[in-house]
Amino acid sequence: MNTLKVALLGAGNVGSEVARILLEDSEVLASRAGSHLELIGIAVRDTESKRAEHIGHELLTTDAEALVDQADIVIELIGGIEPAGSLVARALRRGSVVVTGNKALLAERGAELFQLARDNGGHLGFEAAVAGAIPILRPINESLSGDRITKVMGIVNGTTNFILDAMDTTGADFGDVLKQAQDLGYAEADPTADIEGYDAAAKAAILAMLSFHADFRIGDVFREGITSITAEDVDAAKDAGFVIKLLAIAERLDNGVAMRVHPTLIPREHPLGAVHGAFNAVFVEADNAGELMFYGQGAGGRPTASAVMGDLVSAVRRLTRGIGAAKDADAAVEVNQSNIKALGIENVLTSYCIGLTVTDRPGVLSRIAAIFADNGVSIEQMRQTRGFAEDDQASILRIITHRGSEQALAKTVESIRELDVVSHVNSVLRVEGN
Amino acid sequence: MNTLKVALLGAGNVGSEVARILLEDSEVLASRAGSHLELIGIAVRDTESKRAEHIGHELLTTDAEALVDQADIVIELIGGIEPAGSLVARALRRGSVVVTGNKALLAERGAELFQLARDNGGHLGFEAAVAGAIPILRPINESLSGDRITKVMGIVNGTTNFILDAMDTTGADFGDVLKQAQDLGYAEADPTADIEGYDAAAKAAILAMLSFHADFRIGDVFREGITSITAEDVDAAKDAGFVIKLLAIAERLDNGVAMRVHPTLIPREHPLGAVHGAFNAVFVEADNAGELMFYGQGAGGRPTASAVMGDLVSAVRRLTRGIGAAKDADAAVEVNQSNIKALGIENVLTSYCIGLTVTDRPGVLSRIAAIFADNGVSIEQMRQTRGFAEDDQASILRIITHRGSEQALAKTVESIRELDVVSHVNSVLRVEGN
């Protein structure tokens, strides 16, 4: 049995788990992959760091480029655009197998790197970059290769799902739950990337690339975070049979693909409604297969390491059998096959759940309803309750629309905002899956 | 672009959808697969049958063997052991690519056919045989190739899930719901294979083969159907926060793999608890990945055809790139790698939910509790309610145990059955996921 040299870049949460598996499970891995996998080195920023200590100093190096140049296989778990991008490109130019979990890099330079892999007979595995341990690359790229994907909706950020799930369960406010999530280690000290939807937007671009074979970027994704979601929004959604989730959505329209990330009401009995805590799930609609969902842990050292190892073993199996990495195109992604355009959110059809504080007097409802009618938006349900406001003439109105164009819906909300009987537009949330 | 000849065996629900896709989507398929796929013939029992009519008479033949001998790729959708088995073996001996949805055949002769594929440079794709449209073969075989699967639990039979879900939703009795399912076409006129768990047992064997790389058969699977589930069982489960599902379970124990199919109580908030109607789902536990679930339509012409086409396109992609089918071992299954034994259900650890009708007098509970203690089984919860029986001295007892050995649990039930104060053991159901 031959031996392949593995270089590991990064020794964080995921990196140290990958190192552990490579060292502890080397026999099982060899029997599955058909080659011995020798961990020849781990590139870190600082060989004296606490983090790297438990792995063994003899493997550590700060010279990542030299390490890449000696390896058959490079596992990139540094994260961020640079120096990760240059190192991945360097390895691919040598025709190496590269496995990465770097969503930021893929959402920014994916198409270029896939092309580099093809041109030089290398291979870029990235299962770990989307939804952690959940196998989604192969199901979309191979199992659905004879079908047509129409829409992908994912809960792809564990932090925001933890927060929204806790708000749903306990009725607590966003701020309190965020603090709790930070104390438990589910949210970072600076939670911006998660709660403002940047992380989910990168994953939306990657999911869209995979599903629709075009070169999409994070900048193509409409993005709205969860910071403005209140306990009242969660409660009102619950009352109407919905739960609020931050969804990453990519859907095929007549003339392109629209990508968006925003808090979304989905029916409680929808499969995505049962995704609790920090779990992730990706819901796929295809012409023939119908509805599919893939569920699992979207983050964490061990789950993400499992996805890295799956990519690694699959790639090595093919190398071992003499299938050049260049021919290993089943697991690769062809993102320049089509000239499918990225479309703005104004092109999608969706429905809105609108919360209003209105003056409680005769004729108000009919004036509001008229605005919906004028914009061609039809109302699915409307519910009026007494407001909590000191003003006892105020009442709270919740309106859920049927599906309509985003443009018509947005225009409707603008017109309603200008009505004198409407004292406040409390919330506007999109609804899916109904 | 070269052309590959495709033979289709069978023109039932799935077969006619596959024929439609091959004929209607031929351009898209060619661009994805890298070769034209030419449907050269469809083998049917009777070329004059109504069913086959709408496909086009010129493609129909009753000489399946001659058709197989002319084809590069054979799609077997006849079902059953023979003649399907001989035709599949014939094609594999010629080194052809075979795609099948035949679970009965795989659960009976899988290992032999996989070997035949390897020996002759052929390939056997069977994604469609397990859980219809749900991609499960590649996630288990490739994405988890660097991990260790410990347990697989699946809702793999749509008919029984439809029935149990309807019982749970409406409170109706088994018989009424079965009739309704038959009227709606969700259950066959002779529903035995579904409701007695034979279909699920075949799928359990295939899932175990895939997950644990050993040659398991349907005969290795412990099997118990859903015909004895009453509205009272469903109601009692609901009351305790559970839902009853027919699960196919395969789990790794110290000295082998135990496979079983039986009605099971699972917590309502468990991901499998949210699988409604005729949908299927497979829940996988792995050392590093943790909990994963794959959800989708488990049956039906179009969803199953989607899985067939995925296998077909993946296999053709590799053929097109000059990767011999023999080398295409990533998508193949190595079932003789290990000498892992099949174990009987007496080896598993599970918990029981036991329903008893008992005489309502002092000391009864303590006598029953003593039997649990004597067998080393600890009680998780016990609930006593007034019975519906005419005998007003009778009450209903529901006991849920902690996890214990199947042997100890079965012995406990035997001893309880013999107590004079126990007038009836109403139900004994296993509990998972708690």
Side-chain angles (χ1 to χ4, degrees):
Chain A
M1 197 182 277
N2 70 325
T3 297
L4 295 170
K5 290 177 180 163
V6 179
L8 177 60
L9 313 182
N13 264 335
V14 183
S16 53
E17 283 296 333
V18 167
R20 180 187 62 75
I21 296 170
L22 280 169
L23 297 171
E24 283 180 9
D25 292 350
S26 62
E27 272 181 55
V28 178
L29 292 171
S31 85
R32 295 203 189 157
S35 297
H36 290 292
L37 301 173
E38 188 200 351
L39 180 59
I40 58 165
I42 305 172
V44 292
R45 225 176 320 182
D46 172 10
T47 57
E48 299 304 316
S49 79
K50 262 262 161 69
R51 181 126 238 170
E53 226 163 48
H54 65 285
I55 298 173
H57 273 291
E58 67 285 2
L59 285 171
L60 302 182
T61 173
T62 53
D63 190 350
E65 295 193 352
L67 185 62
V68 163
D69 290 347
Q70 293 164 46
D72 303 302
I73 296 162
V74 174
I75 303 174
E76 186 275 304
L77 297 167
I78 305 171
I81 307 292
E82 284 301 340
S86 302
L87 291 166
V88 166
R90 187 182 184 100
L92 291 174
R93 257 185 237 109
R94 296 183 67 244
S96 299
V97 165
V98 177
V99 177
T100 180
N102 193 331
K103 56 190 174 291
L105 181 61
L106 288 169
E108 201 55 49
R109 293 176 51 188
E112 169 205 338
L113 295 171
F114 294 129
Q115 191 59 47
L116 211 51
R118 258 193 303 281
D119 291 347
N120 296 281
H123 169 71
L124 181 59
F126 62 98
E127 183 67 86
V130 209
I134 308 175
I136 184 75
L137 194 156
R138 284 178 194 82
I140 286 185
N141 208 39
E142 300 184 43
S143 306
L144 290 172
S145 57
D147 205 334
R148 233 183 301 249
I149 293 174
T150 50
K151 189 171 186 177
V152 178
M153 298 200 289
I155 294 173
V156 291
N157 179 274
T159 302
T160 47
N161 201 57
F162 177 88
I163 292 172
L164 292 170
D165 190 41
M167 288 176 74
D168 186 72
T169 313
T170 63
D173 254 317
F174 175 77
D176 295 340
V177 177
L178 172 61
K179 209 192 151 304
Q180 189 202 342
Q182 286 172 319
D183 292 345
L184 289 168
Y186 283 114
E188 314 250 349
D190 175 2
T192 313
D194 294 319
I195 63 178
E196 294 293 359
Y198 292 101
D199 174 79
K203 290 164 179 168
I206 299 173
L207 282 173
M209 247 192 286
L210 256 174
S211 306
F212 304 108
H213 309 282
D215 177 12
F216 298 126
R217 310 288 169 92
I218 186 170
D220 297 324
V221 183
F222 171 87
R223 183 192 49 75
E224 200 178 291
I226 64 164
T227 52
S228 64
I229 302 295
T230 63
E232 286 73 41
D233 292 336
V234 171
D235 193 53
K238 204 178 222 173
D239 181 55
F242 292 87
V243 55
I244 301 179
K245 299 286 187 190
L246 183 71
L247 295 191
I249 305 172
E251 66 189 302
R252 180 85 194 228
L253 304 174
D254 283 344
N255 47 349
V257 171
M259 290 156 272
R260 52 196 165 110
V261 167
H262 53 65
T264 317
L265 271 71
I266 53 167
R268 297 191 89 81
E269 68 274 18
H270 191 282
L272 287 171
V275 178
H276 301 292
F279 273 86
N280 282 16
V282 179
F283 187 83
V284 178
E285 289 175 20
D287 266 352
N288 295 313
E291 301 179 346
L292 297 169
M293 190 177 83
F294 306 92
Y295 164 98
Q297 292 186 57
R302 291 184 70 178
T304 311
S306 169
V308 168
M309 296 309 297
D311 272 355
L312 185 63
V313 170
S314 290
V316 173
R317 274 182 185 167
R318 290 171 194 188
L319 283 181
T320 305
R321 295 196 179 83
I323 303 171
K327 289 187 172 170
D328 176 20
D330 224 18
V333 173
E334 319 248 339
V335 291
N336 290 315
Q337 283 185 341
S338 62
N339 46 6
I340 301 172
K341 274 192 312 185
L343 300 174
I345 192 168
E346 65 280 4
N347 295 283
V348 306
L349 289 178
T350 183
S351 52
Y352 272 20
C353 176
I354 303 164
L356 304 172
T357 304
V358 300
T359 310
D360 189 7
R361 66 169 190 241
V364 168
L365 284 192
S366 83
R367 285 183 63 192
I368 291 172
I371 291 181
F372 279 87
D374 289 348
N375 286 286
V377 172
S378 95
I379 292 173
E380 202 251 334
Q381 53 167 281
M382 189 189 261
R383 183 166 175 180
Q384 188 168 202
T385 47
R386 228 70 232 293
F388 316 100
E390 55 283 0
D391 176 4
D392 62 6
Q393 292 216 300
S395 74
I396 303 287
L397 209 58
R398 185 186 69 226
I399 297 160
I400 298 180
T401 74
H402 279 293
R403 271 175 106 75
S405 85
E406 171 77 22
Q407 251 173 331
L409 288 161
K411 231 180 111 200
T412 306
V413 173
E414 274 325 291
S415 305
I416 284 174
R417 210 182 284 279
E418 283 160 20
L419 275 184
D420 56 354
V421 292
V422 173
S423 48
H424 197 239
V425 176
N426 306 321
S427 73
V428 178
L429 292 167
R430 292 177 189 83
V431 185
E432 291 285 339
N434 56 338
Chain B
M1 196 182 277
N2 70 325
T3 297
L4 295 169
K5 291 176 179 164
V6 180
L8 177 59
L9 312 181
N13 263 337
V14 184
S16 52
E17 283 295 333
V18 167
R20 181 187 62 75
I21 296 170
L22 280 169
L23 298 172
E24 284 180 8
D25 292 350
S26 61
E27 272 181 54
V28 177
L29 293 170
S31 84
R32 293 202 190 160
S35 297
H36 289 293
L37 300 173
E38 187 200 352
L39 181 58
I40 59 165
I42 305 171
V44 292
R45 227 178 316 185
D46 172 10
T47 55
E48 300 304 316
S49 80
K50 262 261 160 69
R51 181 128 239 168
E53 226 164 50
H54 63 286
I55 299 174
H57 273 291
E58 67 286 1
L59 285 170
L60 302 182
T61 171
T62 54
D63 190 349
E65 295 193 352
L67 185 61
V68 164
D69 290 348
Q70 293 164 46
D72 303 303
I73 296 162
V74 174
I75 303 174
E76 186 275 302
L77 296 167
I78 305 171
I81 309 290
E82 284 300 342
S86 303
L87 292 167
V88 166
R90 187 183 185 100
L92 291 174
R93 258 185 237 108
R94 296 184 67 244
S96 299
V97 166
V98 177
V99 177
T100 179
N102 192 330
K103 57 189 173 292
L105 180 61
L106 288 169
E108 201 54 49
R109 293 175 53 188
E112 170 205 337
L113 295 171
F114 294 129
Q115 191 60 48
L116 211 51
R118 259 193 302 280
D119 291 348
N120 296 281
H123 168 70
L124 181 59
F126 62 100
E127 182 68 85
V130 210
I134 308 176
I136 185 75
L137 195 156
R138 284 179 193 82
I140 286 184
N141 208 40
E142 300 184 41
S143 306
L144 290 171
S145 57
D147 206 332
R148 234 182 301 251
I149 294 174
T150 50
K151 191 171 185 177
V152 179
M153 300 200 288
I155 295 173
V156 291
N157 180 274
T159 303
T160 48
N161 202 58
F162 177 88
I163 292 172
L164 291 170
D165 189 41
M167 288 176 73
D168 187 72
T169 313
T170 64
D173 254 317
F174 175 77
D176 294 340
V177 177
L178 172 60
K179 210 192 149 301
Q180 189 202 342
Q182 286 171 320
D183 292 344
L184 289 168
Y186 282 115
E188 314 248 352
D190 175 2
T192 313
D194 294 320
I195 64 178
E196 294 293 359
Y198 291 100
D199 173 79
K203 289 165 179 168
I206 299 173
L207 281 173
M209 246 193 286
L210 256 175
S211 307
F212 305 109
H213 308 282
D215 177 12
F216 297 126
R217 310 288 169 92
I218 186 170
D220 297 324
V221 183
F222 170 87
R223 183 191 49 75
E224 201 177 291
I226 64 163
T227 52
S228 64
I229 302 295
T230 63
E232 286 73 42
D233 293 335
V234 171
D235 193 53
K238 203 178 222 175
D239 181 56
F242 292 87
V243 56
I244 301 180
K245 298 287 186 189
L246 183 72
L247 295 191
I249 304 173
E251 67 189 302
R252 180 85 196 229
L253 304 173
D254 283 344
N255 46 349
V257 171
M259 288 155 274
R260 51 196 165 107
V261 167
H262 53 67
T264 316
L265 271 71
I266 52 167
R268 298 192 88 82
E269 68 273 18
H270 191 282
L272 287 171
V275 178
H276 301 292
F279 273 85
N280 281 17
V282 179
F283 187 83
V284 178
E285 290 175 20
D287 268 352
N288 295 314
E291 301 179 345
L292 297 169
M293 191 175 83
F294 307 92
Y295 165 98
Q297 292 187 59
R302 291 184 69 178
T304 311
S306 168
V308 168
M309 296 309 297
D311 272 355
L312 184 63
V313 170
S314 290
V316 173
R317 275 182 187 169
R318 289 169 195 190
L319 283 180
T320 305
R321 294 195 180 84
I323 302 171
K327 288 186 172 169
D328 176 21
D330 224 20
V333 174
E334 319 249 339
V335 292
N336 290 314
Q337 282 185 342
S338 64
N339 45 8
I340 300 172
K341 276 190 312 188
L343 301 173
I345 193 171
E346 65 280 4
N347 296 282
V348 306
L349 289 178
T350 183
S351 51
Y352 272 19
C353 175
I354 304 165
L356 303 172
T357 304
V358 299
T359 311
D360 189 8
R361 66 171 191 239
V364 169
L365 284 192
S366 85
R367 285 182 63 193
I368 290 172
I371 290 180
F372 279 87
D374 289 349
N375 285 287
V377 172
S378 95
I379 291 172
E380 202 251 333
Q381 55 166 279
M382 188 187 263
R383 181 164 179 182
Q384 190 169 199
T385 47
R386 229 72 232 293
F388 317 99
E390 55 284 0
D391 177 3
D392 63 7
Q393 292 218 301
S395 74
I396 303 287
L397 209 59
R398 183 186 71 224
I399 297 160
I400 298 180
T401 74
H402 279 293
R403 271 175 103 76
S405 85
E406 171 77 22
Q407 253 174 328
L409 288 161
K411 234 181 109 198
T412 306
V413 172
E414 272 326 291
S415 306
I416 284 173
R417 210 181 284 278
E418 283 159 21
L419 276 185
D420 55 354
V421 293
V422 172
S423 49
H424 197 239
V425 176
N426 307 322
S427 73
V428 178
L429 292 168
R430 293 177 188 83
V431 185
E432 290 286 339
N434 56 341

